C-alpha cells in the first residue's frame, strides 16, 4: 500500500524539530482527522536556509512533511511556492488516494509559514494573496 519512500520518511523523518527565532511559522490542521502540522522557516535573502517541522498526525502526514522540508531546503521562496501536494506525493512515489489529503497539509504548512514571513517582514509573496490556511484540505483533491 505504501511506497518505500513513504515508509522511509515515516520511519526516519528528516528535519524534525523547531527553529528558535524562525522567520516564518505555519500551523495547519485538518479538522476531519484532527492532524496538525507545524512548519518553521529560516529565510535569508529570499532563500530558505533552514526548515524544521513537527507533525502530530498520521504516517502519511509525517512522510509528506519530511519530504516537503527536503524539497524546500536551500530553495528560494518562489521555488517553495511552486511545491504542491501533488509534487510532494510524487516525490514520495505516490500516496494511496485516501491519503492524498495528508500531503495537502504539507503544502499548506509551507504556504502558511511563508505567509507568516511575508506579514512579519512586509514582503508580498506572489501567489499567497488568496491563500487561506483554514480552507478544508479535503477540497483540494
Ligand atoms: Fe489526517 Fe493523514 S489522516 S493528515
Amino acid at each position: 500500500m505504501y511506497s518505500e519512500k513513504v515508509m522511509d520518511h515515516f520511519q526516519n523523518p528528516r528535519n524534525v524539530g523547531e527553529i528558535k527565532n524562525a522567520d516564518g511559522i505555519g500551523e495547519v490542521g485538518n479538522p476531519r482527522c484532527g492532524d496538525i502540522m507545524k512548519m518553521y522557516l529560516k529565510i535569508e535573502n529570499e532563500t530558505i536556509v533552514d526548515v524544521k517541522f513537527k507533525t502530530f498526525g498520521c504516517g502519511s502526514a509525517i512522510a509528506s512533511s519530511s519530504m516537503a522540508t527536503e524539497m524546500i531546503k536551500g530553495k528560494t521562496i518562489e521555488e517553495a511556492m511552486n511545491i504542491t501536494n501533488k509534487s510532494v506525493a510524487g516525490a514520495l512515489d505516490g500516496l494511496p488516494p485516501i491519503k492524498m489529503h495528508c500531503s495537502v497539509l504539507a503544502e499548506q504548512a509551507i504556504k502558511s509559514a511563508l505567509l507568516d514571513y511575508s506579514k512579519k517582514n512586509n514582503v508580498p509573496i506572489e501567489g499567497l494573496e488568496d491563500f487561506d490556511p483554514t480552507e478544508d484540505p479535503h477540497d483540494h483533491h
Side-chain angles (χ1 to χ4, degrees):
M1 185 171 179
Y2 291 107
S3 73
E4 268 174 42
K5 276 193 189 160
V6 173
M7 291 310 290
D8 177 32
H9 278 265
F10 167 58
Q11 280 164 337
N12 311 291
R14 329 294 200 262
N15 309 308
V16 175
E18 60 179 86
I19 298 175
K20 297 233 181 308
N21 307 318
D23 299 303
I25 300 175
E27 184 170 355
V28 291
N30 182 319
R32 302 204 194 180
C33 61
D35 291 350
I36 297 167
M37 195 181 288
K38 207 162 174 181
M39 189 133 339
Y40 303 81
L41 301 178
K42 194 86 203 144
I43 297 176
E44 281 166 21
N45 298 325
E46 302 271 295
T47 300
I48 297 165
V49 292
D50 200 13
V51 47
K52 294 254 189 293
F53 80 92
K54 277 186 184 165
T55 292
F56 182 84
C58 74
S60 298
I62 291 169
S64 295
S65 28
S66 169
M67 180 54 88
T69 57
E70 289 282 274
M71 289 168 82
I72 62 170
K73 207 179 203 174
K75 299 281 162 58
T76 63
I77 291 174
E78 200 185 327
E79 287 167 329
M81 279 298 297
N82 288 329
I83 303 275
T84 63
N85 79 300
K86 289 203 180 83
S87 58
V88 173
L92 287 167
D93 290 337
L95 282 169
I98 55 157
K99 286 284 169 183
M100 275 308 280
H101 73 272
C102 315
S103 61
V104 173
L105 225 44
E107 177 188 335
Q108 288 189 317
I110 294 170
K111 293 200 165 126
S112 133
L114 286 172
L115 184 65
D116 182 46
Y117 167 80
S118 154
K119 282 186 182 159
K120 279 181 183 154
N121 297 280
N122 213 5
V123 276
I125 295 177
E126 217 187 310
L128 278 184
E129 300 84 5
D130 306 322
F131 174 65
D132 178 5
T134 59
E135 206 173 291
D136 188 336
H138 282 91
D139 295 338
H140 277 254
H141 280 266

